[in-house]
Amino acid sequence: MAADRDAQTETASIEANFAAVRQTMAEAAAAVERRADSVTLVAVSKVQPEARVDAALQVGHRTFGENYVQEAQERWRPRRPRYPDLDLHLVGPLQSNKAGEAVALFDLIQTLDRDKLAAALSKEMAKQGRRVPCLIQVNTGEEPQKAGLAPLEVEAFLHRARETHGLEVRGLMAIPPAAEPPAPHFALLAELARKLDLPIVSMGMSEDYPTAIRLGATHVRVGTALFGARPERKR
Ligand SMILES: *Cc1c(COP(=O)(O)O)cnc(C)c1O
């Protein structure tokens, strides 16, 4: 009984969070005369308790972002048969030796960032007979510790990803430097996507998704604002 009540409280608060984020997204879109449905909400569920993820499914949400391949497999493989319209995005860094598992599980890989990975993904897609579209991760702040290509490298890499590796690249993704205002980074990413004729622009997290939408995000990746603070990752 107590557990049931907890689950109900969880669902109620997650439902309220989704409604609030949706409302904020719609306002940001309206401010720049964009339609609310031109922006996809990717609910980033990494390390969140299962009950919160189930609550999100219960309120009808289907597009989720995950950072860790193994955690995502454990969470989503058993749920997939019940939710055939799930849309799972990998938003964390991918090691080439996990490419097969990623291709089998995800519907969009947002973090393509090097030739070795492009080759591994390409090989796995051929082997599994499954084409998974990708986004190129761009390191807009050119931070040495962060994944992604420098903005000036993106065009040549896009051609290699398509021509050499035969990948379906649909857009760009970025995580701006934590210590800087994100707007110039968002503007740069959107401009680069426009120049390269790429339809998807994945940018904006809990702290800054309204700004990202005003600057052209087609996908925002929101975790804490939907699910609450993340517990520490268990290893
Ligand atoms: C964790 C994560 C998010 C979500 O961050 P919040 O601040 O919790 O909204 C978005 N994108 C990526 C790549 C992440 O790793």
Side-chain angles (χ1 to χ4, degrees):
M1 289 293 275
D4 277 1
R5 251 197 323 274
D6 285 352
Q8 276 170 24
T9 319
E10 191 90 90
T11 305
S13 78
I14 297 248
E15 186 168 23
N17 292 349
F18 271 82
V21 169
R22 289 262 183 224
Q23 175 67 28
T24 304
M25 287 174 65
E27 285 164 11
V32 290
E33 294 179 7
R34 295 181 59 196
R35 292 165 49 121
D37 65 5
S38 68
V39 190
T40 300
L41 175 59
V42 181
V44 178
S45 43
K46 62 169 175 234
V47 307
Q48 292 287 357
E50 302 293 330
R52 295 183 191 168
V53 174
D54 283 326
L57 286 163
Q58 217 162 5
V59 303
H61 197 77
R62 294 294 181 266
T63 304
F64 292 86
E66 290 285 354
N67 286 57
Y68 310 104
V69 174
Q70 194 187 330
E71 183 197 11
Q73 281 178 323
E74 287 166 10
R75 167 170 290 159
W76 292 109
R77 268 196 193 146
R79 287 181 172 84
R80 190 138 228 173
R82 272 182 289 149
Y83 303 98
D85 52 345
L86 265 183
D87 182 23
L88 296 182
H89 298 195
L90 179 65
V91 301
L94 179 59
Q95 294 170 289
S96 301
N97 64 4
K98 298 267 178 67
E101 287 155 277
V103 166
L105 183 69
F106 291 102
D107 304 293
L108 180 69
I109 292 173
Q110 294 207 4
T111 50
L112 175 63
D113 64 351
R114 59 199 190 277
D115 284 277
K116 189 179 174 204
L117 179 59
L121 288 169
S122 167
K123 191 173 143 206
E124 283 298 335
M125 288 181 204
K127 198 161 112 191
Q128 298 182 29
R130 181 175 151 80
R131 261 176 95 72
V132 181
C134 302
L135 309 183
I136 295 175
Q137 185 171 352
V138 185
N139 188 354
T140 57
E142 304 198 38
E143 297 170 279
Q145 83 288 3
K146 197 170 270 176
L149 287 114
L152 283 172
E153 300 170 340
V154 174
E155 186 167 8
F157 180 73
L158 171 65
H159 288 298
R160 291 199 302 280
R162 285 177 167 163
E163 311 306 328
T164 310
H165 304 292
L167 296 178
E168 183 181 332
V169 180
R170 290 206 188 143
L172 304 178
M173 175 271 210
I175 310 166
E180 290 178 29
H185 296 273
F186 292 156
L188 188 157
L189 193 74
E191 172 59 18
L192 193 54
R194 196 195 55 73
K195 209 180 99 198
L196 299 172
D197 203 19
L198 289 165
I200 296 185
V201 185
S202 170
M203 57 188 190
M205 317 203 305
S206 291
E207 291 296 313
D208 51 24
Y209 66 94
T211 307
I213 291 170
R214 285 194 293 271
L215 290 166
T218 64
H219 289 59
V220 291
R221 308 177 309 264
V222 180
T224 355
L226 295 171
F227 295 110
R230 277 181 288 277
E232 252 177 67
R233 190 182 173 209
K234 52 180 191 302
R235 300 222 56 149

